[in-house]
Amino acid sequence: MTHVNTLVSNWVFKLYRSWILYTPFLNKKIPLKWLFAPTPEAFFFSVRTTIAALIALIIAMWMELDSPAWAPMTVWIVAQGSRGESISKAKWRFYGTIVGTIVGVALIAAFPQEWGLFFLTLAVWMGLCSFLASFTDNFRAYAMVLAGYTAATISIDAISNPNDAFIIGMSRFTYITLGVVVETAFSALFTYNLVEQARGNLNRLLHSAIEGASLAIADLLAGDSKALGRSRLLFSSIVTMSNQIEFHEIELGGHGHEGDHARAALSSISILLSRTLGLAARLKSVNTSSKDLANILDKTRNFFGKVPELLVGDSITPLRVELDNLLSISRKTIIDLLSEEVSTVAEHNTDSLQEEHALHLLNERIIYQGLSDIYTEMNQALLEFDHTLHPVKRDDFNFHNAVFHDPKEALVNGLRSALFIMVSALFWEITAWSSFSTMLTLGALTIGRFSITDLASITSYQFFKGTVVVTFVAFFLNFLVLPTPASYEVLALCLFPPMFIAGLASRIPQLAAPATAYNTFLPALIAPNNTGRINEVAFFNTALAILAGIWLAVTVFDLAFPFNPIKERRRLRQITLSDLRHIAAAEPIPSIQSWIGRNVERFVRLIRHAGYLPTPITEAYMQGTLSAMTIGRNVINLRLAIQRNQMPKPCIQVIQVVVRRMTQFSGIHGRTALTARSAIKILRKQEIVQTNISIRLEMTRVIASLMVISYELEDNKDFLDPSRAYLLPGERF
């Protein structure tokens, strides 16, 4: 049956594209390729969602519901590219609708005749929902903002007749439930072998992450000047992949722990990239010309360069065998270098030898130690990847990424949502517009939907443009096409083409926001019902109310705490530098995984602000954030060394001075860098005369961390100076 479904699906898709494949002008530069030659995923997504929306509409009309347009609107809102995303969004939309319905009815019951208190309370509720949503992620955040604008929708509709508040609430809940059920059913109908597909998608996701990281590491160790930029973009991809794992877990049934191992693998890959960047800094800060070191670096580059070839198939054994060989060579070389240092000091206890040959050996050990850390982290990532390929029975492994959020940003999101409600209430009090409920309802939907995004002004404006387009399309359908249909089938036939086209557009990132507005508001502007069609007056009033509500939301985003990329970059920089001081004293000691995750989130935000063409300014800020991340990771290493307490007390005290200096980091980078360099000199002298091998290895790790801190402080002194603004030529506040 699965084979038959695949053949039929491929035949339908080829039939759709066949007419365009033979046109001579088809090429990759055609702007409308998404329409004329869509991807199979976009094609089938649009087909199934359009059919589901039309069936939901027909069922709602058959049930003689008073506002059947809400059913197809819900289908398009819930529909996602994967089965896991659709299930997750449907579930959280259901929860958000329940809470919003209860609050909406309660508001009308509490303030039936007090419009001032009613709108004030509604504004507080909307603001609270947006505020709390800023502290969650994925569709949990969506459920919270949904609870806000659902309460607004139900309570505003019931203003004219408070006695019908419960009926209105139950009606709205019925529409949404109907849309969710129909979309979920069709999503399941168009999905086969879900578990196998989900496991394959998860494995391909991790394969892509490991392959990209391996090639980036090979380029970094080769000294490729462009490798740094590519490695920064990888951090952004890893965050996106990590967010997708939750949906793959849903598709797998949620019984195993493949998702936990996948998240752990991606975390190890992030740490692996960070360690490689630190090693690259060490290679720049030391001067060594050892043939053995050059040989191991070549072997390491070759290994990571051929990881994509060795990763083919279900077995990672060849990779791990070669990785173990490299790790053995590195560890053996470290012991050999230690033995040579000990014998050198024993036979030639002179200052010149200590300053030259012993220093040379120590520098090599530092590089080898960095390579060993990279091999170990890569091995951990491969182990976690293997656990997703071959699940272990009775596995109780759990791994969750720490979620980091900005309280100030959350407060701004809440205030903007509350402000929209109060401005709308003032507008209604002044104008007494009969279509006010439509304006506030769909405006609240817009303000809630985009309030938790950092580019709300830009995204909501794209949403508004999609609404303008759908207004003209709905006018054409209402007054030139739809007056004649007398059956559900003909109605569905008329609505299928415009919905299908918008469904294709919604799979293009640049068109997602306007396409979403198009399919969301098309049913509302058509306003199908069983007793007639919308007349000209009702259509123009509805269209004007929708446009006014969304335009008001866009205006609030533009005027209330408007987004300024320069100020936002400066604010993120201040937070980064504050966190850098904080981790030097925070108790308990932060984990390296959480620190890297926090900084990767800022990477993603900077990249998102830069758009598709990052500017030199954005590149400079990303490099500075990367430097802060590297320094912070090594500060954590110093604190862990103090906690282990394996070195002599004088050495511990030297490290404590450096850590204490980091807590007082005020922007005068020279003092902190000088403190780190002084600590390196003291520890080197102590390390040379130390006879205990384990203590010497511990001191080597500490010296390596101090070298990276010193190098990064000098190399990024302007970004790391919080006492002044970090502006490139031509920038102004």
Side-chain angles (χ1 to χ4, degrees):
M1 183 64 182
T2 299
H3 180 64
V4 173
N5 288 340
T6 304
L7 289 177
V8 172
S9 299
N10 291 337
W11 180 81
V12 173
F13 176 70
K14 289 178 180 178
L15 181 65
Y16 175 81
R17 294 188 69 179
S18 60
W19 69 275
I20 197 65
L21 292 179
Y22 297 100
T23 46
F25 55 82
L26 179 61
N27 58 69
K28 295 182 179 180
K29 297 182 179 180
I30 291 183
L32 294 179
K33 186 180 179 182
W34 60 268
L35 174 61
F36 296 132
T39 63
E41 294 80 8
F43 177 82
F44 289 113
F45 167 82
S46 186
V47 168
R48 71 172 173 82
T49 310
T50 301
I51 294 175
L54 293 174
I55 289 180
L57 173 62
I58 291 172
I59 293 175
M61 295 177 68
W62 174 75
M63 295 174 64
E64 297 187 358
L65 300 177
D66 57 343
S67 298
W70 278 94
M73 288 170 64
T74 301
V75 170
W76 280 108
I77 291 172
V78 171
Q80 298 295 313
S82 71
R83 173 81 168 138
E85 288 178 288
S86 294
I87 293 174
S88 179
K89 191 169 186 179
K91 179 183 74 173
W92 288 107
R93 181 172 178 82
F94 187 75
Y95 293 157
T97 301
I98 292 176
V99 174
T101 300
I102 294 172
V103 173
V105 173
L107 284 174
I108 286 295
F111 309 106
Q113 301 295 330
E114 296 291 337
W115 77 271
L117 289 175
F118 166 79
F119 279 110
L120 180 62
T121 307
L122 179 60
V124 171
W125 172 249
M126 280 282 294
L128 180 64
C129 289
S130 296
F131 177 80
L132 295 177
S134 302
F135 291 93
T136 57
D137 59 349
N138 281 344
F139 294 126
R140 288 171 287 275
Y142 169 72
M144 290 189 176
V145 296
L146 175 66
Y149 66 73
T150 298
T153 300
I154 292 172
S155 57
I156 293 299
D157 283 349
I159 282 180
S160 58
N161 193 350
N163 293 330
D164 292 338
F166 180 77
I167 296 176
I168 293 173
M170 292 307 299
S171 298
R172 189 58 46 81
F173 182 76
T174 302
Y175 307 143
I176 292 173
T177 302
L178 174 61
V180 167
V181 169
V182 172
E183 197 284 331
T184 302
F186 265 79
S187 179
L189 184 64
F190 276 71
T191 304
Y192 49 87
N193 292 337
L194 182 61
V195 174
E196 289 77 7
Q197 288 188 25
R199 184 166 284 113
N201 291 334
L202 185 60
N203 292 339
R204 281 190 291 274
L205 180 147
L206 291 180
H207 186 285
S208 174
I210 294 174
E211 178 180 338
S214 299
L215 295 177
I217 292 170
D219 291 340
L220 282 169
L221 295 179
D224 187 350
S225 59
K226 297 182 180 179
L228 185 61
R230 291 195 295 270
S231 64
R232 291 198 298 258
L233 294 177
L234 271 175
F235 284 115
S236 176
S237 300
I238 289 172
V239 171
T240 303
M241 294 176 182
S242 185
N243 290 334
Q244 291 295 316
I245 290 174
E246 175 186 343
F247 308 126
H248 294 310
E249 284 183 299
I250 294 174
E251 295 170 346
L252 289 169
H255 305 300
H257 292 270
E258 294 93 334
D260 293 301
H261 288 292
R263 277 187 289 269
L266 291 177
S267 176
S268 292
I269 292 171
S270 296
I271 297 174
L272 176 65
L273 285 170
S274 177
R275 291 191 185 281
T276 306
L277 293 168
L279 178 62
R282 292 175 201 169
L283 288 171
K284 293 179 181 178
S285 62
V286 300
N287 184 18
T288 179
S289 56
S290 169
K291 292 182 179 180
D292 291 336
L293 181 57
N295 184 43
I296 191 67
L297 286 173
D298 286 338
K299 288 182 178 180
T300 304
R301 285 193 295 267
N302 293 334
F303 167 76
F304 282 103
K306 64 182 180 182
V307 162
E309 300 174 9
L310 297 176
L311 204 58
V312 177
D314 292 339
S315 176
I316 62 169
T317 302
L319 274 173
R320 295 198 62 204
V321 168
E322 191 163 348
L323 198 60
D324 288 340
N325 290 335
L326 289 172
L327 184 58
S328 299
I329 294 172
S330 180
R331 288 175 175 174
K332 181 180 181 300
T333 306
I334 291 174
I335 300 300
D336 292 342
L337 290 171
L338 275 171
S339 301
E340 185 177 351
E341 286 184 51
V342 171
S343 61
T344 299
V345 174
E347 296 174 6
H348 308 283
N349 190 16
T350 63
D351 291 340
S352 60
L353 286 173
Q354 289 180 354
E355 290 295 331
E356 295 178 13
H357 186 62
L359 177 60
H360 172 77
L361 296 175
L362 175 60
N363 288 337
E364 284 196 27
R365 274 198 295 117
I366 289 172
I367 302 301
Y368 278 105
Q369 185 62 53
L371 289 171
S372 297
D373 292 339
I374 289 175
Y375 303 148
T376 303
E377 205 63 53
M378 181 65 175
N379 186 54
Q380 184 62 35
L382 290 174
L383 280 174
E384 300 296 349
F385 176 54
D386 187 57
H387 285 310
T388 63
L389 291 173
H390 309 101
V392 180
K393 292 183 178 180
R394 298 179 182 177
D395 187 5
D396 59 354
F397 178 78
N398 287 286
F399 188 93
H400 298 285
N401 291 321
V403 180
F404 303 99
H405 299 284
D406 188 344
K408 181 179 178 180
E409 184 180 69
L411 180 62
V412 168
N413 294 339
L415 289 175
R416 287 195 296 203
S417 297
L419 179 63
F420 172 82
I421 297 297
M422 296 308 297
V423 171
S424 299
L426 180 62
F427 178 82
W428 181 53
E429 178 66 16
I430 293 173
T431 63
W433 189 16
S434 60
S435 298
F436 165 76
S437 61
T438 302
M439 185 195 88
L440 191 143
T441 296
L442 299 180
L445 183 151
T446 305
I447 202 79
R449 188 169 191 149
F450 299 111
S451 63
I452 56 176
T453 63
D454 49 351
L455 297 176
S457 177
I458 298 172
T459 311
S460 62
Y461 181 66
Q462 296 298 319
F463 194 75
F464 175 77
K465 291 198 293 187
T467 309
V468 173
V469 172
V470 77
T471 301
F472 286 100
V473 173
F475 177 85
F476 173 80
L477 291 173
N478 272 321
F479 304 118
L480 297 178
V481 178
L482 289 180
T484 55
S487 65
Y488 296 139
E489 295 82 358
V490 178
L491 174 64
L493 184 63
C494 294
L495 293 180
F496 186 91
M499 282 190 176
F500 173 75
I501 292 173
L504 293 177
S506 67
R507 308 313 299 165
I508 307 300
Q510 300 92 320
L511 301 176
T516 301
Y518 180 102
N519 270 330
T520 299
F521 298 130
L522 180 61
L525 289 166
I526 297 297
N529 59 73
N530 292 303
T531 59
R533 66 178 183 87
I534 190 171
N535 59 42
E536 291 81 352
V537 175
F539 172 80
F540 284 113
N541 277 333
T542 301
L544 183 60
I546 293 174
L547 291 171
I550 298 175
W551 180 251
L552 180 59
V554 174
T555 303
V556 168
F557 285 132
D558 280 338
L559 300 181
F561 311 102
F563 176 77
N564 184 310
I566 298 176
K567 291 183 178 180
E568 181 65 11
R569 284 196 299 268
R570 187 186 182 208
R571 190 178 71 87
L572 291 176
R573 170 173 169 262
Q574 290 173 337
I575 294 174
T576 299
L577 298 179
S578 176
D579 287 347
L580 193 57
R581 293 190 296 270
H582 175 71
I583 63 163
E587 292 293 346
I589 300 174
S591 67
I592 290 178
Q593 179 261 334
S594 64
W595 170 252
I596 291 177
R598 190 177 185 88
N599 283 273
V600 167
E601 290 283 348
R602 297 193 186 108
F603 268 125
V604 174
R605 182 168 294 192
L606 286 169
I607 292 171
R608 190 165 57 241
H609 294 171
Y612 295 97
L613 296 173
T615 63
I617 297 173
T618 307
E619 290 285 344
Y621 270 84
M622 286 194 291
Q623 174 58 35
T625 304
L626 175 62
S627 175
M629 180 179 72
T630 304
I631 293 173
R633 181 174 59 81
N634 285 278
V635 170
I636 293 174
N637 288 337
L638 294 181
R639 295 193 62 193
L640 291 174
I642 295 173
Q643 188 180 66
R644 287 191 294 267
N645 196 27
Q646 296 177 356
M647 294 178 291
K649 187 174 181 180
C651 297
I652 296 291
Q653 291 174 340
V654 170
I655 303 171
Q656 287 174 334
V657 170
V658 177
V659 173
R660 194 179 307 116
R661 179 63 200 169
M662 287 301 304
T663 64
Q664 303 167 355
F665 187 64
S666 60
I668 305 177
H669 74 283
R671 294 180 182 177
T672 309
L674 179 61
T675 304
R677 288 195 297 271
S678 300
I680 291 172
K681 291 180 181 179
I682 295 172
L683 290 175
R684 276 176 169 168
K685 291 179 180 179
Q686 294 287 331
E687 196 264 350
I688 289 174
V689 298
Q690 181 60 243
T691 57
N692 187 302
I693 297 298
S694 62
I695 293 178
R696 294 195 72 170
L697 289 174
E698 180 78 351
M699 295 176 73
T700 300
R701 285 190 286 267
V702 169
I703 292 172
S705 294
L706 289 170
M707 290 175 64
V708 174
I709 291 173
S710 175
Y711 173 80
E712 294 292 345
L713 286 172
E714 290 286 354
D715 197 50
N716 296 274
K717 56 186 178 182
D718 292 332
F719 180 86
L720 296 171
D721 185 354
S723 63
R724 60 181 182 179
Y726 182 58
L727 296 175
L728 297 183
E731 267 199 312
R732 295 289 185 272
F733 284 113

